[in-house]
Amino acid sequence: MTSRTGAPVVVGVDGSGSALEAVRVAAREAADRHRPLRVVHAFGWPLLGTPLGPVPVVCGDDAVRAAAQRTVDEAVEEAAKVAPEVPVTGRLCDGGPTAVLVRESRDAALLVLGHRGLGGFAELLIGSVTVQVTAHADCPVLVVRGEARADGPVVVGVDGSALSTEALGFAFAEAAQRDTRLVAVHAWLYPTAVGPGDIVPMAYDPQELRAEEERVLAESLAGFAERYPQVPVSTKLVAAPAARALVEESTDAQLTVLGAHGRGGLAGALLGSVSHALLHHARSPLAIVRHRRDLGRR
């Protein structure tokens, strides 16, 4: 029997249906990676931030904590149904969801989050919590959104940046594990003036510009084909905004992968505009990669 040890797959839950779907996905990811699964719920007071109407009884902290523990227990049970071979633990953590999930990511192989939550605390997804967690997590974050499908390629955004290379490594590993092809998408735009002080060349050769972008794409892929010879690779060079191109490509993907920010963003940005747009509009599950973690599937 294969040992299931090492860095766990971590999934955040909040009692919503979306979170339970994230648990199912996380359980399958843990099974594929031969890793344990940790179910995490952030406990705070009050847990709910939306009005629920008159409350006949004022519940004490113990009652609310017990309800939160039931959320964890139900999620653990759901994970066991999906992947009974995976060791699953539940953790009820004091604190806000962003701080708790970022802390949990420090020793995780993968952090899985659902797409939508409840109100208040469970603005978990998609909202400020998701954006903050994705921007600060110390492991790749898988956001379960769009249509889950077993077919279709792994799509990855490529822009030549260091984090794009990290995303490529993650995407190739995913494609190999899923026994599917990889589509590397590089989107670019002809230079245009966006302000009165901008300087754009008086003349430029569109073919030369396209050739330069082809070079960026080819150099980004160099080495990965040799490392993953079993993965069929196709490339797409698209003259369009990156967010729009990747949202369109995500329609038929079983997974879309992106670096947290790329060469087009501010150097200090933790989450780029393209990543932010995909968090809200991707039509498939989305993996955001920030750091290289030697915590592969095996």
Side-chain angles (χ1 to χ4, degrees):
M1 182 176 179
T2 303
S3 174
R4 295 179 180 274
T5 59
V9 172
V10 174
V11 58
V13 298
D14 61 10
S16 67
S18 176
L20 274 183
E21 178 58 26
V23 168
R24 299 181 191 105
V25 170
R28 290 190 288 268
E29 291 290 332
D32 288 345
R33 287 171 163 77
H34 292 268
R35 293 186 179 277
L37 176 66
R38 182 189 302 158
V39 176
V40 176
H41 178 69
F43 177 82
W45 180 266
L47 284 177
L48 300 179
T50 55
L52 301 177
V55 179
V57 178
V58 177
C59 297
D61 183 77
D62 290 344
V64 177
R65 184 176 289 273
Q69 185 62 54
R70 284 195 297 273
T71 294
V72 174
D73 295 341
E74 289 170 0
V76 169
E77 291 174 6
E78 186 67 21
K81 294 176 186 176
V82 173
E85 73 278 20
V86 172
V88 185
T89 56
R91 183 176 291 182
L92 186 62
C93 303
D94 290 326
T98 298
V100 165
L101 291 169
V102 170
R103 185 169 65 243
E104 290 292 321
S105 75
R106 292 172 185 164
D107 69 344
L110 181 72
L111 177 61
V112 182
L113 302 174
H115 177 223
R116 290 188 181 91
L118 304 171
F121 155 77
E123 68 181 355
L124 184 61
L125 297 167
I126 258 320
S128 61
V129 173
T130 303
V131 173
Q132 292 170 18
V133 171
T134 304
H136 294 280
D138 286 329
C139 69
V141 178
L142 175 60
V143 178
V144 180
R145 57 162 301 125
E147 180 183 356
R149 52 190 304 163
D151 60 346
V154 171
V155 170
V156 58
V158 180
D159 66 8
S161 66
L163 271 179
S164 173
T165 302
E166 303 285 351
L168 269 168
F170 184 89
F172 266 95
E174 289 294 316
Q177 175 63 36
R178 295 163 186 257
D179 192 23
T180 191
R181 62 192 177 92
L182 182 138
V183 178
V185 180
H186 177 57
W188 64 290
L189 292 171
Y190 289 104
T192 58
V194 295
D198 292 333
I199 299 176
V200 176
M202 293 289 293
Y204 56 84
D205 186 338
Q207 291 185 338
E208 289 185 4
L209 288 175
R210 185 177 181 85
E212 173 62 18
E213 300 302 331
E214 288 176 344
R215 182 191 63 78
V216 170
L217 181 55
E219 290 183 354
S220 297
L221 291 170
F224 286 108
E226 291 79 6
R227 198 180 315 169
Y228 297 94
Q230 74 276 37
V231 176
V233 180
S234 60
T235 60
K236 288 196 175 183
L237 191 65
V238 185
R244 187 176 74 192
L246 287 166
V247 168
E248 290 177 358
E249 290 296 328
S250 73
T251 301
D252 298 321
Q254 59 176 289
L255 178 68
T256 302
V257 181
L258 194 64
H261 61 83
R263 63 177 182 176
L266 296 174
L270 292 174
L271 193 65
S273 60
V274 176
S275 304
H276 193 280
L278 268 289
L279 277 173
H280 290 272
H281 300 292
R283 298 164 187 164
S284 69
L286 174 69
I288 302 289
V289 180
R290 288 193 63 241
H291 293 288
R292 173 173 293 142
R293 299 292 301 277
D294 189 17
L295 299 171
R297 284 182 168 271
R298 299 289 177 176

